[in-house]
């Protein structure tokens, strides 16, 4: 990804994910980066960062989206990700009981 706004290094949570940008009149698939971070000193929020490769999306200028979450919100999101991952994994394995 050229012209990247998020710093990507060995500590980045997920680099090279499959992403999609959707607008009212466009939809485009692009590789992306997802990162979870918090300030080093006196952390008070968890930040979720997402950036898609802007060279793959003509309808959108280079940008990164950031969401600040309270610890409780971050845990709720983590629980939703975990339960949804369990359901998808079960479906892939042919177990529809979840």
């Amino acid at each position: 990804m050229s012209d990247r706004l998020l710093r990507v290094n060995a500590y980045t949570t997920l680099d090279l994910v499959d992403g999609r940008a959707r607008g009212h009149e466009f939809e485009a698939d692009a590789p992306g980066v997802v990162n979870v971070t918090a300030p080093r000193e006196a952390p008070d929020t968890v930040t979720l960062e997402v950036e898609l490769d802007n060279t793959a999306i003509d309808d959108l200028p280079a940008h990164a989206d950031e969401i600040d979450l309270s610890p409780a919100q971050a845990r709720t999101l983590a629980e939703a990700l975990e339960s949804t991952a369990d359901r998808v994994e079960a479906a892939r394995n042919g177990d529809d009981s979840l």
Side-chain angles (χ1 to χ4, degrees):
M1 286 174 49
S2 64
D3 197 26
R4 189 177 275 150
L5 299 172
L6 296 180
R7 174 184 270 164
V8 176
N9 57 36
Y11 303 105
T12 303
T13 307
L14 298 172
D15 52 344
L16 295 179
V17 297
D18 294 330
R20 181 178 316 104
R22 252 188 334 203
H24 287 293
E25 301 195 16
F26 75 93
E27 184 170 314
D29 293 328
V33 173
V34 177
N35 195 39
V36 177
T37 188
R40 287 189 184 269
E41 295 183 27
D44 58 347
T45 59
V46 175
T47 301
L48 175 63
E49 303 170 318
V50 177
E51 181 178 7
L52 297 180
D53 183 356
N54 67 305
T55 63
I57 304 172
D58 294 330
D59 297 306
L60 202 57
H63 75 285
D65 296 311
E66 297 182 357
I67 301 170
D68 290 328
L69 304 165
S70 70
Q73 290 171 321
R75 287 187 183 91
T76 298
L77 180 60
E79 289 170 12
L81 287 167
E82 186 76 32
S83 66
T84 303
D86 289 345
R87 186 168 51 90
V88 170
E89 193 170 60
R92 285 183 174 178
N93 293 331
D95 179 10
D96 295 329
S97 64
L98 291 178

